[in-house]
Amino acid sequence: MAEPLKYMYNDRFFKQLTRHCTDMIPGFNAAKFNANFSTPEWDALELKQRVRHVANAMAAQLTGKYKQDIKAVTFLIKHIQKELGDVSTFQHIFLADYIEQYGIDQPVESLKAMEYATILSSCEFAIRPFIVKYPEQVMAQMLEWTRHKHASIRRLASEGCRPRLPWGMALVAFKKDPTPILPILEALKADPSEYVRKSVANNLNDIAKDNPDVVKDIIRRWQGSSKETDWILKHGSRTMLKKADEHTLSLFGVSAVKSVQVKDLAVKNVSIDIGGELNFSFTLAHKEPTPTLLRVEYMIYYMKASGTPTKKIFKVTENTFELNRSYAITRKQSFKDMTTRKHYPGIHHIAIVVNGVEYEKIDFAVK
């Protein structure tokens, strides 16, 4: 099992950080700083709490005058970047957290500092309170960032304004009306960096959850621009596609079919343990009169703690299937607990879905 991420803050990290801070922050007291991380209170903290604790411990070594302190923090960021090179490290996200906590009343200085901090460790979480408090000012700055030479800063323009960023505060105003986001996505739709394009797709997927018609309009306008932009559209539409939205499917050339059969759906074991693996197979018989684009998926009906089922869909393939042929398909699905999904015992179901239509379904037990 992988070590919890909170342990990234270890003795080696603090030794390096203390050295950097001593070099770049006048009057930095290494002993007082390190005393914050050898207490029972520190041991009990989880990841996000540790990030904030490190940020606050560093702030305690500063003057308390933000316009002066942010200059020292920016010099610190540049100093660390010079040693590490052009890499991003999650460990240093406490620097973004410092800006979020202490710089909210100084947007000009804070946004400038984020340009440096987001290269070292993304400011996608830290910038969100600034968007809420100064929406026009910050969104104008983010549009300017779409033209920056560094991909991490261009990505911040998109990732920072996602309406539903995981683990970040929701941008309620943008969930209601995503219009301010659209010029940023438009500017980045053909970005040369895959890192940036993936963020654009994730932003579209967020928007689609509350404003699907906005994304459908974007699909119609962008589709065919380039292979890379088409990938953004497909990835950004994944929630609508998984919901088998008929209009969205048709925009990608996936239409209703009449002469497709799903046969012989079977699971290898009708009972599996939590932590185990479901192995299943089925046959897809394609009887359409012409080769047809088929989106083949399987849907798991998971048992929740309440005893009611919840559905989650997984893609098998999306391909053109030849006429009058049968295709044998086997897949496996892990039932290991994850941070995003916990499994519960009970009767589960698996169903095969073709072009948004649910076909054969069978039961299996999880214990």
Side-chain angles (χ1 to χ4, degrees):
M1 181 180 292
E3 184 178 66
L5 192 55
K6 67 180 181 178
Y7 294 126
M8 67 181 181
Y9 290 128
N10 52 33
D11 290 342
R12 181 171 176 269
F13 172 78
F14 283 121
K15 183 177 180 180
Q16 293 173 332
L17 177 60
T18 301
R19 173 170 56 83
H20 292 311
C21 290
T22 302
D23 289 344
M24 302 308 299
I25 299 176
F28 184 83
N29 189 316
K32 284 187 178 180
F33 178 73
N34 286 312
N36 288 277
F37 314 113
S38 57
T39 66
E41 290 78 11
W42 168 258
D43 292 339
L45 298 179
E46 295 303 324
L47 175 60
K48 291 181 71 173
Q49 295 170 314
R50 289 189 176 203
V51 170
R52 179 135 298 184
H53 196 72
V54 178
N56 288 338
M58 184 187 70
Q61 297 294 314
L62 301 174
T63 68
K65 300 175 182 178
Y66 184 76
K67 287 189 177 182
Q68 177 180 331
D69 291 340
I70 195 59
K71 292 179 181 178
V73 171
T74 302
F75 286 137
L76 173 65
I77 292 168
K78 293 179 180 179
H79 184 68
I80 296 172
Q81 285 174 333
K82 186 176 180 180
E83 180 172 299
L84 295 181
D86 191 15
V87 297
S88 179
T89 67
F90 189 72
Q91 290 171 313
H92 292 97
I93 200 168
F94 74 90
L95 293 163
D97 191 75
Y98 167 80
I99 298 171
E100 176 185 346
Q101 285 193 83
Y102 295 92
I104 191 65
D105 293 326
Q106 305 292 339
V108 174
E109 291 80 4
S110 295
L111 291 172
K112 188 61 181 176
M114 285 186 191
E115 283 193 25
Y116 298 100
T118 201
I119 297 173
L120 184 61
S121 194
S122 178
C123 289
E124 64 202 62
F125 304 110
I127 200 168
R128 299 171 80 77
F130 290 84
I131 294 174
V132 172
K133 190 167 184 177
Y134 314 101
E136 293 184 5
Q137 178 182 355
V138 178
M139 293 303 285
Q141 177 62 70
M142 294 174 85
L143 185 59
E144 185 70 25
W145 281 340
T146 64
R147 296 185 284 273
H148 200 280
K149 64 181 180 180
H150 202 290
S152 292
I153 297 173
R154 299 197 305 273
R155 177 185 179 271
L156 177 60
S158 170
E159 196 72 7
C161 64
R162 286 178 57 181
R164 292 171 168 264
L165 181 68
W167 302 312
M169 64 181 293
L171 297 177
V172 177
F174 291 171
K175 287 170 67 175
K176 293 178 180 177
D177 179 11
T179 301
I181 302 173
L182 303 186
I184 290 172
L185 304 187
E186 193 77 39
L188 296 173
K189 70 179 180 183
D191 195 274
S193 168
E194 182 181 359
Y195 185 48
V196 176
R197 296 195 302 270
K198 186 174 182 180
S199 176
V200 174
N202 288 336
N203 201 320
L204 283 176
N205 192 54
D206 279 7
I207 293 171
K209 293 174 182 178
D210 301 294
N211 298 275
D213 289 341
V214 172
V215 176
K216 291 175 187 178
D217 181 61
I218 290 173
I219 294 170
R220 285 188 288 266
R221 289 191 291 106
W222 291 6
Q223 205 165 43
S225 300
S226 69
K227 180 177 69 174
E228 291 78 14
T229 303
D230 284 347
W231 180 90
I232 288 173
L233 294 174
K234 194 65 164 293
H235 197 60
S237 303
R238 61 190 182 274
T239 294
M240 295 190 297
L241 291 169
K242 287 180 178 181
K243 289 183 176 180
D245 182 87
E246 186 176 339
H247 188 198
T248 306
L249 288 168
S250 69
L251 288 172
F252 291 103
V254 179
S255 56
V257 289
K258 297 179 180 179
S259 301
V260 169
Q261 294 178 327
V262 174
K263 302 186 295 184
D264 305 323
L265 175 60
V267 294
K268 186 175 180 180
N269 297 312
V270 295
S271 179
I272 61 172
D273 295 328
I274 292 176
E277 191 174 76
L278 176 70
N279 292 273
F280 64 96
S281 61
F282 62 95
T283 298
L284 180 69
H286 180 244
K287 304 294 184 181
E288 293 289 305
T290 59
T292 308
L293 180 64
L294 299 181
R295 181 180 176 90
V296 184
E297 299 163 300
Y298 62 93
M299 184 182 293
I300 303 286
Y301 288 74
Y302 287 100
M303 182 64 68
K304 297 196 296 186
S306 63
T308 57
T310 183
K311 298 185 292 186
K312 184 168 179 59
I313 198 164
F314 303 88
K315 185 178 176 181
V316 176
T317 186
E318 185 174 313
N319 270 308
T320 299
F321 284 71
E322 298 298 326
L323 66 157
N324 293 322
R325 283 190 59 184
S326 293
Y327 298 82
I329 298 172
T330 60
R331 285 292 186 275
K332 57 186 178 182
Q333 177 68 30
S334 173
F335 274 75
K336 290 181 180 178
D337 284 343
M338 302 180 294
T339 54
T340 54
R341 183 166 63 248
K342 183 174 174 58
H343 299 91
Y344 298 94
I347 300 299
H348 291 52
H349 318 284
I350 182 170
I352 308 303
V353 179
V354 181
N355 286 17
V357 177
E358 186 175 324
Y359 283 77
E360 191 171 349
K361 180 170 72 174
I362 61 171
D363 301 342
F364 62 96
V366 175
K367 60 182 182 179

